[in-house]
Amino acid sequence: MTRGLVVVCCLMAATACGGGSEPAAPTMSMNAIAEQYVKLVLGMGEHDSAYVDAYYGPPEWKAEADKGQRPLADLDADAARLIEALGKINSFPAPGNTSEQLDRDRQMSHLRHDYLRRQLEALRSRVRMLSGAKLSFDEESQALYDAVAPSHPDSYFQGMLDDLDRRLPGKGPLVDRTEAFRKQFVVARDRLGKVFDLAIAECRRRTMPHLQLPETESFTVEYVTGKSWSGYNWYHGSYRSVIQVNTDLPIFIDRAIDLACHEGYPGHHVYNALLEKNLTRDRDWPEFSVYALFSPQSLIAEGTANYGIEVAFSDAERRAFERDVLFPAAALNPARVDEYYDFHDLIDRLSYAGNEAARRYLNGEIDRQTAVQWLTRFALMSPERAEQRIRFFDDYRSYVINYNLGKDLVKQFIESRGGTDANPDKRWEEFIRLLGSPRLPSGLRQ
Ligand SMILES: [Zn+2]
């Protein structure tokens, strides 16, 4: 296969190029390192079709990558050199008693430096995986997403199941009763578009007063089938996204606001748009023109997208909007909103059961069939939904932790800065600041 010669030459011109006899590398600028990082991520995309989630940088960089696969070993060696080059840029003055803006710029430079190093390390780990290395679930999530999800024994989930069992009337297995209950809250296919449009408009109305984006920002929604995910935001740059909603399985009413917030406002669409505005354009940091899916950035992306639902709506506000607008639009009985969301809140507590199933399945402790049964029993998924989730495990592996652990870490981070239920304005401020910063998952614990 053909190598991307231009990429190799650019990198070698700026750093020591393996082999040991070359002169000492000159110090690279952060932007030179960042540009090479972008090209490496594009190079990874030639080996791994899901790797490049978004790219809106110079088209010629992509065209160069498309000329042919570079060997994984070369990409890895270049990433190692970039990490070494980053190590030579380590003299950031500590924040001090200077102007607030200067301190902020220094902090952002620190975050940027740590971010680039960690993104490059994750890229190297993905190279190892594509080269055949077998990592355990927790090793993989640490390497790719800079975080490890807690483990829970079956008894942890059983307590929640017992609680649900007491609350859901009827006879028969709990999963069957759960499914029968949920089926009463399916949004009919011919009403989906209307319901989603209303949810998106409300999420946007609540989000936009808290940030500044060009008026041209927008996205379109498409309905698709045959996917292992339930929704996806494809960011195209220039503040535009395409959001796809998978209609393979019945869509329950709670998904309208979940997807509208998660994929749109203030979730992925806003996150990507703020990175483009604040970092790629205003600061001229090219690394944010590419989004490597299997990288620490994804925990921040998914965590903020999930937590954004709570930022946009208090529980009472959400229930009121569902009662007044979405339930009627879906031809569901508005008098049942509280009944449905009380149940939904309980089911939500089982979210870590999905991680547990993925961990055991991907570690080879249980087979596919057992994983489906386990998800059915402990996550109360229908067999069809459990099958879809296993396909997601096959495709995206330990990525699953980014949703619930990501949300918990983001929530804890925002609340530790005063962004609590009692102070929603502060919560918005901290949330928007996080969306537009290159913070790592490990940095959320600080
Ligand atoms: Zn997402």
Side-chain angles (χ1 to χ4, degrees), residues 262-263 268 302 403:
H262 181 105
E263 307 294 346
H268 292 322
E302 301 298 355
Y403 297 98

Side-chain angles (χ1 to χ4, degrees), residues 74-339:
D74 288 5
L75 297 175
D76 186 56
D78 285 353
R81 288 180 201 117
L82 290 180
I83 291 170
E84 193 185 333
L86 275 170
K88 294 181 175 144
I89 306 176
N90 54 12
S91 56
F92 298 110
N97 295 323
T98 54
S99 77
E100 199 176 309
Q101 184 57 41
L102 197 56
D103 277 352
R104 171 108 185 104
D105 286 345
R106 284 172 177 161
Q107 189 201 26
M108 288 290 276
S109 293
H110 271 287
L111 292 175
R112 181 192 193 194
H113 188 271
D114 289 349
Y115 172 90
L116 263 174
R117 177 185 49 76
R118 194 65 189 81
Q119 291 286 116
L120 282 161
E121 288 171 356
L123 184 146
R124 297 193 69 195
S125 297
R126 188 67 182 169
V127 166
R128 284 176 60 209
M129 290 172 65
L130 293 174
S131 305
K134 298 270 182 276
L135 305 183
S136 73
F137 182 86
D138 290 341
E139 288 168 347
E140 180 185 311
S141 76
Q142 177 60 43
L144 297 185
Y145 309 116
D146 198 32
V148 173
S151 285
H152 298 291
D154 290 5
S155 56
Y156 172 83
F157 303 107
Q158 191 58 53
M160 298 173 192
L161 294 176
D162 292 343
D163 199 9
L164 275 158
D165 196 38
R166 281 190 293 274
R167 291 175 189 234
L168 265 188
K171 291 191 164 42
L174 179 58
V175 64
D176 293 347
R177 279 181 279 149
T178 300
E179 202 55 19
F181 178 78
R182 277 177 165 151
K183 276 188 176 151
Q184 302 170 68
F185 299 91
V186 169
V187 182
R189 181 67 185 85
D190 62 352
R191 289 180 180 265
L192 266 184
K194 169 84 173 156
V195 170
F196 271 125
D197 287 350
L198 288 166
I200 289 164
E202 180 66 9
C203 293
R204 187 176 192 280
R205 188 186 71 77
R206 288 170 174 272
T207 300
M208 294 312 270
H210 301 282
L211 67 155
Q212 289 179 327
L213 283 179
E215 285 182 5
T216 51
E217 68 77 23
S218 69
F219 61 75
T220 53
V221 181
E222 296 174 356
Y223 296 90
V224 299
T225 55
K227 308 294 181 187
S228 61
W229 36 257
S230 57
Y232 211 112
N233 176 299
W234 303 98
Y235 189 68
H236 290 199
S238 301
Y239 312 112
R240 292 177 196 273
S241 300
V242 172
I243 291 174
Q244 292 186 321
V245 177
N246 182 6
T247 58
D248 281 341
L249 295 174
I251 294 181
F252 306 117
I253 186 66
D254 57 278
R255 297 297 287 152
I257 281 184
D258 282 4
L259 279 170
C261 282
H262 181 105
E263 307 294 346
Y265 308 98
H268 292 322
H269 174 67
V270 168
Y271 170 67
N272 283 293
L274 281 176
L275 290 181
E276 178 172 1
K277 179 178 181 301
N278 294 356
L279 304 185
T280 309
R281 293 183 186 237
D282 293 354
R283 289 184 187 264
D284 190 26
W285 289 357
E287 64 270 36
F288 293 94
S289 65
V290 78
Y291 174 3
L293 191 68
F294 303 113
S295 75
Q297 187 178 359
S298 280
L299 185 135
I300 303 292
E302 301 298 355
T304 51
N306 268 356
Y307 182 56
I309 302 165
E310 281 180 33
V311 177
F313 291 89
S314 70
D315 186 50
E317 287 169 342
R318 175 170 182 167
R319 289 181 188 223
F321 180 68
E322 301 264 2
R323 183 183 302 110
D324 297 341
V325 179
L326 295 187
F327 270 55
L332 299 174
N333 180 358
R336 300 189 71 188
V337 164
D338 286 335
E339 181 189 357

